[in-house]
């Protein structure tokens, strides 16, 4: 066989096609998706809560509106409501100006602080970007706002200019920007990425499992009814889900050591994640066969950005944002964040996963029922029938 003939074989052509396709799909999906960082940081919603009735609270609130690089700024929320929204990741930052801010600033007390509260149980890019913004704002306020306002206050009470400047330097540290972190994660990138890695482990295994089990479904046609074979596929997937989830959860506990009380919660979540992802990825394979894997690959790549582990939904471009609403990975990742590190219930995300899985299974049932043509089932003879037929033939 010549090399040119080898290149024309089905396997060689498939390898060439997949090499080009995967490179184009991966770079064409990842590069545009990650270009949202940090360009779309201004789309993150934040809240500024001013409980100070004095002029300095209003002044600093106005300055924050001008200086902070965000377009969605809520100004009419109570601190309690803002913090609740922050826990649900409906806000990326809560800035709280306390009641005594103006009073403390006038006295030059070190307790004249502003709280910048962030939620670490969410997209890693959000918390790191918000931290950078807070640092820059605090540095600016510390070097400009405190000294300037203090000097102005002292001048108003007839303190000589030179003495006012000297006193201002002493009290320029009266402004303090407190960074408050809720739902803090343990140190280590492995902890930040655990929700995404658990989800992707289940999704990837389910996608490959779907290709293999649907292949068995098609090759076994005629040996049992479509309904029975479909049930066999689902039962086998459930068996794989339990075994693989035990292995994955065990490794996660061996390395990351989360709370032991969460073991069965994480295990159940992972089993559900596998089954939902299995039916989600099986749709295209039931529909068009193994070729469906070609379409499943870019869908997987899109979800690695659309799952909300590194980029929040507010920062995503529209195609990724749309995918986050219909894909199981987003709800799985957010559910893990809530369960492992958060202070809210993971139930809304779990029920969203159930809804996606139920819809995917119904679609698969529809494909098997209406698209796959029925094939007569071969009657398998029992050992007794075979012996009887053999005896009759001998006689």
């Amino acid at each position: 066989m010549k090399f040119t003939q080898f290149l024309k074989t089905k396997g060689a052509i498939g390898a060439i096609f997949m090499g080009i396709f995967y490179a184009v799909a991966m770079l064409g999906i990842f590069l545009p998706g990650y270009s949202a960082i940090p360009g779309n940081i201004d789309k993150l919603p934040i809240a500024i809560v001013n409980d100070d009735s004095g002029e300095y609270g209003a002044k600093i609130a106005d300055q924050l509106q001008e200086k902070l690089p965000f377009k969605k700024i809520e100004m009419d929320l109570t601190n309690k409501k803002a913090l609740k929204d922050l826990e649900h990741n409906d806000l990326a930052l809560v800035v709280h100006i306390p009641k005594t801010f103006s009073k403390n600033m006038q006295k030059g007390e070190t307790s004249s602080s502003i709280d910048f509260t962030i939620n670490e149980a969410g997209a890693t890019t959000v918390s790191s970007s918000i931290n950078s913004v807070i640092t820059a704002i605090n540095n600016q306020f510390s070097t400009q706002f405190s000294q300037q306002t203090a000097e102005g206050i002292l001048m108003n009470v007839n303190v000589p200019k030179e003495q006012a400047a000297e006193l201002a330097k002493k009290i320029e540290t009266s402004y303090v920007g407190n960074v408050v972190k809720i739902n803090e994660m343990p140190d280590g990138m492995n902890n930040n990425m655990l929700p995404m890695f658990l989800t992707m482990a289940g999704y990837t295994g389910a996608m490959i499992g779907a290709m293999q089990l649907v292949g068995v479904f098609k090759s076994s046609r005629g040996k049992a009814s479509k309904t029975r074979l479909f049930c066999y596929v689902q039962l086998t997937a459930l068996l794989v889900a339990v075994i693989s989830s035990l292995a994955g959860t065990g490794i996660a506990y061996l390395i990351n050591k989360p709370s032991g009380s969460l073991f069965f919660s994480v295990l159940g979540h992972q089993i559900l994640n596998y089954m939902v992802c299995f039916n989600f990825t099986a749709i295209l394979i039931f529909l068009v066969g193994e070729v469906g894997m070609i379409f499943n690959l870019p869908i997987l790549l899109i979800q690695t950005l659309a799952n909300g582990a590194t980029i929040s939904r507010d920062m995503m471009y529209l195609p990724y944002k749309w995918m986050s609403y219909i894909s199981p990975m987003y709800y799985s990742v957010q559910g893990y964040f809530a369960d492992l590190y958060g202070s809210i219930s993971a139930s809304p995300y779990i029920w969203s996963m159930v809804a996606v899985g139920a819809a995917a299974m119904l679609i698969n049932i529809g494909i098997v029922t209406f698209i796959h043509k029925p094939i007569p089932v071969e009657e398998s003879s029992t050992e007794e029938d075979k012996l009887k037929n053999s005896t009759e033939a001998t006689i």
Side-chain angles (χ1 to χ4, degrees):
M1 175 187 283
K2 295 181 179 179
F3 180 61
T4 53
Q5 292 175 312
F6 183 84
L7 287 176
K8 293 178 182 179
T9 60
K10 186 177 180 180
I13 293 172
I16 293 170
F17 172 78
M18 289 305 295
I20 297 172
F21 175 80
Y22 195 76
V24 171
M26 188 169 184
L27 294 174
I29 290 170
F30 280 1
L31 294 182
Y34 280 113
S35 68
I37 308 170
N40 284 358
I41 192 175
D42 61 333
K43 295 184 179 181
L44 292 174
I46 72 164
I48 299 175
V49 181
N50 179 21
D51 286 334
D52 180 31
S53 57
E55 60 176 303
Y56 295 101
K59 180 178 179 180
I60 204 168
D62 291 338
Q63 288 188 355
L64 283 168
Q65 276 189 284
E66 294 175 6
K67 296 176 184 295
L68 290 173
F70 305 105
K71 294 179 181 178
K72 298 179 182 179
I73 302 179
E74 297 279 353
M75 299 291 294
D76 55 352
L77 297 178
T78 63
N79 194 46
K80 183 178 179 180
K81 177 63 169 63
L83 291 176
K84 184 177 180 181
D85 288 348
L86 182 68
E87 286 185 353
H88 288 81
N89 283 318
D90 293 329
L91 292 172
L93 169 67
V94 174
V95 183
H96 180 227
I97 304 171
K99 291 181 181 180
T100 57
F101 182 76
S102 290
K103 183 180 178 181
N104 291 339
M105 286 294 293
Q106 289 172 347
K107 291 181 179 180
E109 296 181 1
T110 56
S111 58
S112 54
S113 61
I114 293 177
D115 292 333
F116 295 83
T117 308
I118 59 177
N119 184 5
E120 290 204 332
T124 55
T125 301
V126 172
S127 57
S128 60
S129 299
I130 294 293
N131 264 316
S132 299
V133 170
I134 293 172
T135 300
I137 291 295
N138 278 333
N139 289 339
Q140 192 169 357
F141 279 151
S142 294
T143 57
Q144 296 178 10
F145 181 79
S146 297
Q147 185 173 353
Q148 290 173 359
T149 53
E151 191 171 337
I153 293 166
L154 293 171
M155 289 291 293
N156 288 335
V157 292
N158 299 319
V159 176
K161 185 176 181 181
E162 291 182 1
Q163 187 178 354
E166 184 177 341
L167 290 172
K169 290 179 181 179
K170 293 180 180 179
I171 65 172
E172 67 181 51
T173 56
S174 61
Y175 166 78
V176 177
N178 290 329
V179 179
V180 182
K181 297 179 180 180
I182 63 173
N183 303 323
E184 284 194 74
M185 292 188 187
D187 293 333
M189 197 67 179
N190 57 312
N191 291 298
N192 294 74
M193 301 306 293
L194 180 60
M196 179 176 173
F197 288 160
L198 279 169
T199 299
M200 286 197 69
Y203 190 102
T204 307
M207 183 174 68
I208 297 171
M211 180 184 69
Q212 294 172 326
L213 291 179
V214 174
V216 175
F217 169 88
K218 292 184 176 182
S219 65
S220 300
R221 294 294 306 281
K223 298 178 182 179
S225 66
K226 291 190 298 181
T227 302
R228 177 171 292 188
L229 287 173
F230 184 81
C231 290
Y232 288 168
V233 166
Q234 295 295 328
L235 287 172
T236 305
L238 180 59
L239 178 63
V240 176
V242 173
I243 296 172
S244 63
S245 297
L246 278 169
T249 305
I251 292 173
Y253 268 79
L254 184 65
I255 298 173
N256 283 52
K257 299 179 176 61
S259 172
S261 62
L262 294 174
F263 180 82
F264 289 106
S265 175
V266 173
L267 177 63
H269 186 144
Q270 191 69 355
I271 292 171
L272 175 63
N273 173 53
Y274 185 97
M275 291 303 297
V276 172
C277 295
F278 177 85
N279 280 283
F280 184 81
T281 55
I283 293 174
L284 289 171
I285 303 173
F286 270 121
L287 194 61
V288 296
E290 291 185 2
V291 179
M293 284 295 290
I294 296 177
F295 300 103
N296 271 330
L297 281 173
I299 292 174
L300 168 62
L301 295 176
I302 292 173
Q303 286 184 85
T304 57
L305 278 86
N307 62 37
T310 54
I311 305 175
S312 73
R313 186 179 271 170
D314 298 291
M315 293 178 68
M316 296 176 192
Y317 292 120
L318 280 180
Y320 304 89
K321 186 177 291 187
W322 291 337
M323 179 60 73
S324 73
Y325 285 104
I326 64 172
S327 73
M329 282 184 70
Y330 178 85
Y331 302 112
S332 178
V333 168
Q334 301 309 310
Y336 272 131
F337 271 126
D339 212 11
L340 291 168
Y341 309 118
S343 52
I344 60 172
S345 172
S347 296
Y349 303 112
I350 297 298
W351 284 113
S352 295
M353 286 176 65
V354 170
V356 172
M361 182 177 284
L362 287 174
I363 293 172
N364 287 327
I365 291 172
I367 294 171
V368 170
T369 302
F370 300 108
I371 295 180
H372 288 258
K373 295 180 180 179
I375 296 176
V377 178
E378 298 174 2
E379 294 292 338
S380 58
S381 56
T382 63
E383 290 297 324
E384 186 178 347
D385 291 335
K386 290 180 181 179
L387 181 61
K388 183 179 178 181
N389 293 335
S390 175
T391 304
E392 289 176 352
T394 304
I395 295 172

